[in-house]
Amino acid sequence: MPETVPTRETIEAAHERVKPYIHQTPVFTSQFLNGLSGARLYFKCENFQKIGAFKARGGLNAVLSLSAAQLANGVITHSSGNHAQAIAFSARKTGTKCYIVMPDNSPKVKIAAVEGYGADITFCKNTPEDRQRTVDEIVARTGATFLHPFNNYEVVAGQATAAKELIADAGAKLDAIVAPVGGGGLLSGTALAARYFSPGTKVYAGEPEGAADAVLSFRSGKIEKASYVNTIADGLLTHLGDKTFPIIKSEVTDIFTVSDEEIIQAMRYLWERMKMVVEPSGAVSTAAVLKNRAVFEGKNVGIIISGGNVDMGRLPF
Amino acid sequence: MPETVPTRETIEAAHERVKPYIHQTPVFTSQFLNGLSGARLYFKCENFQKIGAFKARGGLNAVLSLSAAQLANGVITHSSGNHAQAIAFSARKTGTKCYIVMPDNSPKVKIAAVEGYGADITFCKNTPEDRQRTVDEIVARTGATFLHPFNNYEVVAGQATAAKELIADAGAKLDAIVAPVGGGGLLSGTALAARYFSPGTKVYAGEPEGAADAVLSFRSGKIEKASYVNTIADGLLTHLGDKTFPIIKSEVTDIFTVSDEEIIQAMRYLWERMKMVVEPSGAVSTAAVLKNRAVFEGKNVGIIISGGNVDMGRLPF
């Protein structure tokens, strides 16, 4: 697999590869949110995607891009969140052995979801060192291929297919697309999709104030860590990678931070007005658009709703 | 307007009439709920419809079917729920004066929604007599046309368009379609759509145990009232009308009752697994399918999700 930034052809091939396994999620509109933002909004609803998040796309493309010899030894990743489900789901669909390393304090509901896809779970202490050591041990023993949640070009090409579909299905030329940013897999894929399939469409990101590493990196020109991490948007805690950051640096127009209060308000609009279950991370792009009316007013704006995996017993409203 | 049961042509004309104003809502599938039911389920998501419920269809068709002379005097209905919003929305879309009679103890959020569509609200005491007296006074004063929430063939023809779209979009021949039943507008429309557009597809209804008038009427052959009314499914409290009941009697295969616990469980599956905000009444058809595995196992089953208007501050989970 060539280690280069995904091309137009790479993303087209990724789309053909994952299409049989994913939902072509709908693009929704809302008169109410159009009114509130002053823009025409096109919501790409990846909360309705398999496993409840866009990550099914990247996971599938990464697994389906492996050679038969690699697949024979299985795949492995570490995650307590949507990426674990994405890899477990993708492995099951392709009949591949799957190892997931999870912190031993992971929520039961997430453990159950990964078990539901038949993955082999190994628990570790919730430290980066213990996590890596556990992964390394399993790789040494099994020869499984490690699939990083975002710092992997096949993952990026897979995530790009969400914006590719949005561009094709919106029914209007988009002036802008807004995606949330955590490790940057979705954002870099979105930026590449816009460059190849909708030249002239600007790409923006929303980021939680309580995990504001990407905006720092974007301003300073090198990968930075957040000065503190404390946000309800638990899918966006990580910092950028050396594969995702250069794409973001060259292709993204701006990154806007939003507070947890703004995220929860946007989430409530999406639930109450659009009848969609959206996780906090999934509402960040909407929050960024509502907060920056001057940037988006009068424009056709694509918004990527990244996921809908929430614990109904612990809602913020 | 001929006072006859809607024909195939009537429903086709209704669909053309309402199409420019409504969302063509998606048909969703869920591997999880397929597994749980043993059937292949096709969910027609009218929770994503304008005003958050299928009633936009019937309201629009009723308003758009009036003559210019009738429209000039406005329209009127009584409702504290989705029908009030549907008529107010439809009147606004067509530039028609709209009077809504609501009980003076209606929830503020529902009053605000109707006000948001620019309707003229008159409050009454929450008794059938006071409600009717208030409507009669306004009709006498203004000449507005009264539009019944369900016992009206234009409303029935409008509601039929949801099942018509489901049949066209499911991508499989449906063995059955299941709709919730309250006054029977949606159920009778669904049954007519199946008869005309998918002969051989059986139509079933789900009804709350705590408002079980339709099943009683279906068994006895005449319109009955429920022996008691107490259910979380507040959109399904009313009994059948003399226009909806004969259609249901001749076209519907069976009516299944479900408890509030079964409704809440189905609702939770729809929220957690399908990421959809669905109101209790909207989950009744799903609950009926999950409860009657022997009837639906191995079949292609269309499920009408009727609406998604819930108060986020008062969830049952």
Side-chain angles (χ1 to χ4, degrees):
Chain A
M1 200 60 49
E3 281 287 30
T4 59
V5 171
T7 63
R8 181 189 178 102
E9 291 68 31
T10 310
I11 294 171
E12 285 171 339
H15 204 192
E16 290 309 308
R17 210 176 278 129
V18 305
K19 251 185 196 167
Y21 304 98
I22 63 170
H23 289 304
Q24 180 161 344
T25 55
V27 175
F28 278 4
T29 59
S30 163
Q31 287 303 308
F32 175 80
L33 283 163
N34 284 356
L36 212 58
S37 64
R40 288 171 299 280
L41 307 180
Y42 300 86
F43 295 88
K44 176 63 172 170
C45 301
E46 288 291 299
N47 51 326
F48 301 137
Q49 190 49 269
K50 296 278 182 182
I51 74 142
F54 73 94
K55 292 200 179 220
R57 297 174 182 269
L60 274 165
N61 192 49
V63 171
L64 293 166
S65 297
L66 296 177
S67 68
Q70 288 173 308
L71 287 175
N73 291 330
V75 293
I76 179 167
T77 198
H78 53 67
S79 161
S80 60
N82 290 338
H83 180 64
Q85 283 192 59
I87 295 299
F89 162 79
S90 304
R92 180 178 225 179
K93 286 288 169 193
T94 54
T96 304
K97 177 80 189 165
C98 179
Y99 306 92
I100 303 286
V101 174
M102 297 180 95
D104 52 16
N105 61 350
S106 298
K108 277 183 190 162
V109 58
K110 302 211 168 182
I111 299 170
V114 169
E115 281 177 339
Y117 293 116
D120 184 334
I121 303 178
T122 305
F123 293 100
C124 66
K125 294 202 185 82
N126 193 15
T127 65
E129 297 73 26
D130 199 55
R131 197 174 62 182
Q132 194 57 50
R133 194 181 50 74
T134 310
V135 168
D136 290 346
E137 279 173 10
I138 298 172
V139 169
R141 178 161 52 80
T142 64
T145 301
F146 177 70
L147 297 174
H148 193 277
F150 55 85
N151 206 38
N152 172 314
Y153 287 133
E154 281 71 46
V155 169
V156 169
Q159 318 305 29
T161 63
K164 179 173 181 285
E165 291 177 7
L166 167 60
I167 288 163
D169 295 345
K173 167 77 181 180
L174 298 175
D175 300 302
I177 302 179
V178 187
V181 61
L186 178 64
L187 179 59
S188 59
T190 300
L192 293 175
R195 186 217 275 183
Y196 301 135
F197 305 109
S198 187
T201 297
K202 291 181 178 175
V203 171
Y204 297 87
E207 183 171 46
E209 282 176 10
D213 61 285
V215 67
L216 271 184
S217 309
F218 191 72
R219 305 265 181 262
S220 76
K222 58 183 177 35
I223 297 173
E224 309 260 11
K225 294 189 178 173
S227 53
Y228 69 99
V229 173
N230 179 19
T231 171
I232 191 176
D234 58 3
L236 304 176
L237 305 183
T238 188
H239 57 79
L240 301 173
D242 62 4
K243 293 195 171 68
T244 56
F245 178 55
I247 302 172
I248 290 166
K249 200 163 126 184
S250 88
E251 303 292 335
V252 169
T253 298
D254 208 350
I255 300 177
F256 302 117
T257 58
V258 289
S259 70
D260 276 13
E261 291 66 34
E262 290 159 341
I263 294 169
I264 292 168
Q265 178 63 69
M267 198 174 151
R268 188 154 187 158
Y269 286 137
L270 295 166
W271 288 52
E272 287 191 339
R273 295 297 181 140
M274 296 187 69
K275 319 299 178 190
M276 303 200 298
V277 171
V278 176
E279 62 189 78
S281 304
V284 164
S285 43
T286 305
V289 170
L290 293 176
K291 189 175 186 174
N292 293 279
R293 192 185 173 103
V295 177
F296 299 106
E297 195 164 18
K299 302 219 163 64
N300 293 333
V301 182
I303 290 183
I304 300 195
I305 301 292
S306 54
N309 291 322
V310 288
D311 183 343
M312 290 297 160
R314 295 183 56 207
L315 298 180
F317 44 73
Chain B
M1 200 59 51
E3 280 287 30
T4 59
V5 171
T7 62
R8 180 188 177 103
E9 291 69 31
T10 309
I11 294 171
E12 285 172 339
H15 204 192
E16 290 309 308
R17 209 176 278 129
V18 304
K19 252 184 196 169
Y21 304 98
I22 62 170
H23 289 305
Q24 180 160 344
T25 55
V27 175
F28 277 3
T29 59
S30 163
Q31 287 303 309
F32 175 80
L33 283 163
N34 284 356
L36 212 58
S37 64
R40 289 171 298 279
L41 307 181
Y42 299 86
F43 295 87
K44 177 63 171 170
C45 301
E46 287 292 298
N47 51 325
F48 301 137
Q49 190 50 269
K50 296 279 182 181
I51 75 145
F54 73 95
K55 291 198 180 223
R57 296 173 182 269
L60 274 165
N61 191 49
V63 170
L64 292 166
S65 297
L66 296 177
S67 69
Q70 289 174 307
L71 288 175
N73 291 330
V75 293
I76 180 168
T77 198
H78 53 65
S79 162
S80 59
N82 290 339
H83 179 64
Q85 282 192 61
I87 295 299
F89 163 79
S90 305
R92 179 177 226 181
K93 285 288 169 193
T94 53
T96 304
K97 177 81 188 166
C98 179
Y99 307 92
I100 303 286
V101 174
M102 295 180 97
D104 51 17
N105 61 350
S106 299
K108 278 182 190 162
V109 58
K110 302 212 168 184
I111 298 170
V114 169
E115 281 176 339
Y117 292 117
D120 184 335
I121 302 178
T122 305
F123 293 101
C124 66
K125 293 200 185 85
N126 192 14
T127 66
E129 298 72 26
D130 199 54
R131 197 174 63 181
Q132 194 56 51
R133 194 180 50 73
T134 310
V135 168
D136 290 347
E137 280 173 12
I138 297 171
V139 169
R141 178 161 52 83
T142 63
T145 300
F146 176 71
L147 296 174
H148 193 277
F150 55 85
N151 207 39
N152 171 313
Y153 287 132
E154 280 71 47
V155 170
V156 169
Q159 318 304 30
T161 62
K164 179 172 180 284
E165 290 177 7
L166 168 59
I167 289 163
D169 295 346
K173 166 76 182 181
L174 298 175
D175 299 302
I177 302 179
V178 187
V181 59
L186 178 64
L187 179 59
S188 60
T190 300
L192 293 175
R195 187 218 272 182
Y196 300 135
F197 305 109
S198 186
T201 298
K202 290 180 178 178
V203 172
Y204 297 87
E207 183 171 45
E209 282 175 10
D213 61 284
V215 66
L216 271 183
S217 309
F218 192 72
R219 305 264 182 262
S220 76
K222 58 185 178 34
I223 297 173
E224 310 261 9
K225 293 189 180 173
S227 53
Y228 69 99
V229 173
N230 179 18
T231 171
I232 191 175
D234 59 3
L236 304 176
L237 305 182
T238 188
H239 57 78
L240 301 172
D242 61 6
K243 293 195 170 68
T244 55
F245 178 55
I247 301 171
I248 290 167
K249 199 163 126 185
S250 87
E251 303 292 335
V252 169
T253 298
D254 208 350
I255 299 177
F256 301 117
T257 58
V258 289
S259 69
D260 276 13
E261 289 67 31
E262 289 159 341
I263 294 169
I264 292 168
Q265 178 63 71
M267 199 173 150
R268 188 153 186 160
Y269 286 137
L270 295 166
W271 287 52
E272 287 191 338
R273 294 297 182 139
M274 296 186 67
K275 318 300 177 190
M276 303 200 297
V277 171
V278 176
E279 62 188 77
S281 304
V284 164
S285 43
T286 305
V289 169
L290 293 176
K291 189 176 186 174
N292 293 278
R293 191 184 175 104
V295 177
F296 299 107
E297 196 165 16
K299 302 219 162 65
N300 293 333
V301 181
I303 291 183
I304 300 195
I305 302 292
S306 53
N309 291 321
V310 288
D311 183 343
M312 290 297 160
R314 295 183 55 207
L315 298 180
F317 44 74

